[in-house]
Amino acid sequence: MDRRNPNFAPLVSRRALVGGALGAGVLAALSGCSAPGSSADGSAADESFGVAILRPKSIDPFLASDEAGLQIVRQVFEPLTGFDYETGELVGRAAQRFEVSDDALTITFYLRDRMFHSGEPVTAASFKRAWERLLNPSSAASAAYGVSPHAYLLALVAGAAELRAGEADGLNGVSCPDDRTLVVTLTEPYADFPYVAAHLALSPVPEAAEADVAAFGSAPVGNGPFMLDGSWGKNSAAIKLKRYDDYAGTVPAIERVRFPFESDTASGFQDFLTGAVDVASCPVDELEGAGARYGRAVDGLVAGPGEHLVYAADLATSYLVCNTAVAPCNNADFRRALSLAFDRTGFCGRIYREMHLAADSIVPPVVPGYREGAWVYTAHDPARAEELLDGLYPLLDSDERAVAVSIIYAARGGSESAMEELAEQLKAVGVPCEVEGLEYDVFYDRLAAGDFTLARLDVQTEEPTLESILFPLFHTRSLGGANVSGYTNEEASALMTEARATKDAGHRMALLQQAEDLIAEDMPVIPLTYPAHAVATSNRVEALVVEPTGALDLAGAVLAEE
């Protein structure tokens, strides 16, 4: 995806949708239960802080892309910037501050005084090394692992294409005037690039990262608040971290963290129930009881006393993409009618058992600039849906219309029943609908070829910005890429282009919201649900931020006094 602040939307702006799932009646019945992880006198069950995760695929920033791997990288490395979900602001991390030029073509980062865990200083060159490592086909990491899944992050940096193609020795769009200054030059205006710089893959790496790729992969040396305690490999049962006492920022309260590998979410939660770990994802079968037993974090973000279950939307939206190039989805009224036919709230309860929230926008509610109800055709209004359809395809004697649609989807666990439910809701307003589950490769081939009417997709952004969602899905430049709907709206595209070049954050937000309003009226996609996460924490936790990405801010965690 392409990328990219004020007007922060609270994480729980839509929590009313799930009030029934974690009801007061059950809460009263279980109010005497306490969170695991502590004994009756409140003493810790183990001296290390335990977090259940699946086995990571990699914990090298070059390669780590699964949630478990990124969870480790989040603790061990520190990128230039980071998004503070408590304040809704982008803040400096390894960078003390940053400046965007008036033309949004140059971003200058001024670095803090930091050290790698090995004692090597973190300099501007450390970042350039890491970024070139992602792009350069001749880097030791590329030779060992192939193309980095994160190379696209640097697509707008001058010289990135040439380096990726093996036509340059370095990334000429990144310069280091001195050890504390990193200057990034872009090929086109992009004021939101500092959000991209928050990605963990763009964290600095020491010289050892290229000198011995295998050793670095088993025990990465980072610049963050925690460091590896030993190494890990294919026979490891856990990854252990310890506090980096020489960290120049706020030193964590937690001394040691253990991440045992679990086979699945259910086994991790079972370890949580027995007190073997302090943090675990909550399975859907346990959601109602867990919310009642441990108390739900009212802000959907911070776990603490009486609020040990964090339950909120992810940075993602599930939706149907409409093929706007072919009938009947080339008609906006038809697309609006389909959207109005869907009972999203009931759908979330019946199919997803509240592990998804009803979507009222393509923008997840955790993204600054989200506006509740901004996509008006996401309301459940079958009468209005039928009215629109009657003007296009009047009901026949068979109580069906002279039109039919199909939904294709990548066949995977849980999708079939969801798609069948959607088909039934369309049939209820007289639109026959077939569903077709396809193998992953076949599904994406069909999308690329435009061989579909409706298709079920997810959009998941790595930066909490409107631009990171709107531009890839709807800009005319994204046709042939993520814009598989074939949608074109020159006015909306011009607004998005202008936003990229707009330095002022408030003005940039306004431009993007204007573009979103145009898109929402045209309905080239039909937002369905917001996937949610549920994370339970033990009584040892006084305060712990669980970010919408699933990452834990262990460095800022506060533990209860023992």
Side-chain angles (χ1 to χ4, degrees), residues 217-488:
S218 64
V221 176
N223 62 322
F226 291 93
M227 60 188 294
L228 265 290
D229 185 5
S231 60
W232 81 294
K234 63 180 182 180
N235 296 321
S236 300
I239 288 176
K240 296 179 181 180
L241 304 182
K242 60 184 178 181
R243 183 172 63 198
Y244 177 45
D245 289 325
D246 291 330
Y247 179 63
T250 302
V251 177
I254 298 175
E255 293 185 17
R256 295 181 181 274
V257 190
R258 183 175 184 270
F259 295 87
F261 305 152
E262 306 287 355
S263 59
D264 52 34
T265 300
S267 61
F269 192 70
Q270 185 59 41
D271 276 351
F272 172 77
L273 292 176
T274 62
V277 296
D278 296 282
V279 181
S281 294
C282 180
V284 62
D285 291 346
E286 302 282 353
L287 181 59
E288 183 172 353
R293 185 177 300 118
Y294 310 131
R296 190 156 49 107
V298 296
D299 63 357
L301 182 66
V302 184
E307 300 179 3
H308 283 286
L309 181 75
V310 174
Y311 173 48
D314 298 338
L315 274 173
T317 306
S318 294
Y319 65 99
L320 292 180
V321 59
C322 306
N323 188 342
T324 64
V326 299
C329 285
N330 59 352
N331 185 288
D333 272 342
F334 185 77
R335 301 192 296 265
R336 294 165 187 144
L338 297 190
S339 184
L340 289 164
F342 294 133
D343 175 15
R344 293 164 176 79
T345 302
F347 180 68
C348 288
R350 290 187 296 271
I351 301 299
Y352 292 113
R353 299 169 65 187
E354 311 299 352
M355 282 305 288
H356 284 228
L357 310 180
D360 58 359
S361 168
I362 196 65
V363 180
V366 295
V367 174
Y370 160 83
R371 294 164 294 164
E372 188 165 358
W375 288 51
V376 296
Y377 297 105
T378 58
H380 181 217
D381 191 344
R384 175 61 176 149
E386 292 192 34
E387 180 183 340
L388 289 171
L389 290 168
D390 288 343
L392 299 168
Y393 304 98
L395 274 176
L396 305 175
D397 292 340
S398 61
D399 286 335
E400 291 186 345
R401 304 176 190 278
V403 65
V405 297
S406 63
I407 302 173
I408 65 170
Y409 65 98
R412 52 191 169 190
S415 293
E416 183 176 358
S417 58
M419 296 306 99
E420 293 287 355
E421 168 95 2
L422 293 178
E424 289 302 316
Q425 294 189 14
L426 291 182
K427 291 175 184 177
V429 294
V431 178
C433 179
E434 294 185 357
V435 299
E436 187 177 2
L438 303 171
E439 292 298 322
Y440 189 89
D441 290 343
V442 175
F443 173 73
Y444 281 99
D445 285 345
R446 290 272 299 270
L447 281 180
D451 183 16
F452 69 97
T453 308
L454 300 166
R456 189 263 188 198
L457 286 171
D458 294 324
V459 57
Q460 186 159 6
T461 180
E462 292 166 322
E463 299 97 48
T465 66
L466 285 177
E467 200 276 348
S468 68
I469 298 166
L470 300 181
F471 194 102
L473 295 185
F474 307 115
H475 199 284
T476 54
R477 276 180 47 187
S478 300
L479 291 169
N483 182 356
V484 295
S485 68
Y487 175 70
T488 58

Side-chain angles (χ1 to χ4, degrees), residues 122-167:
V122 175
T123 66
S126 307
F127 283 93
K128 186 172 184 179
R129 177 188 301 118
W131 296 11
E132 290 179 340
R133 184 176 185 245
L134 295 178
L135 292 166
N136 191 345
S138 299
S139 72
S142 293
Y145 303 129
V147 177
S148 170
H150 308 300
Y152 74 94
L153 293 164
L154 300 168
L156 294 182
V157 177
E162 292 80 2
L163 180 57
R164 188 75 206 105
E167 299 170 356

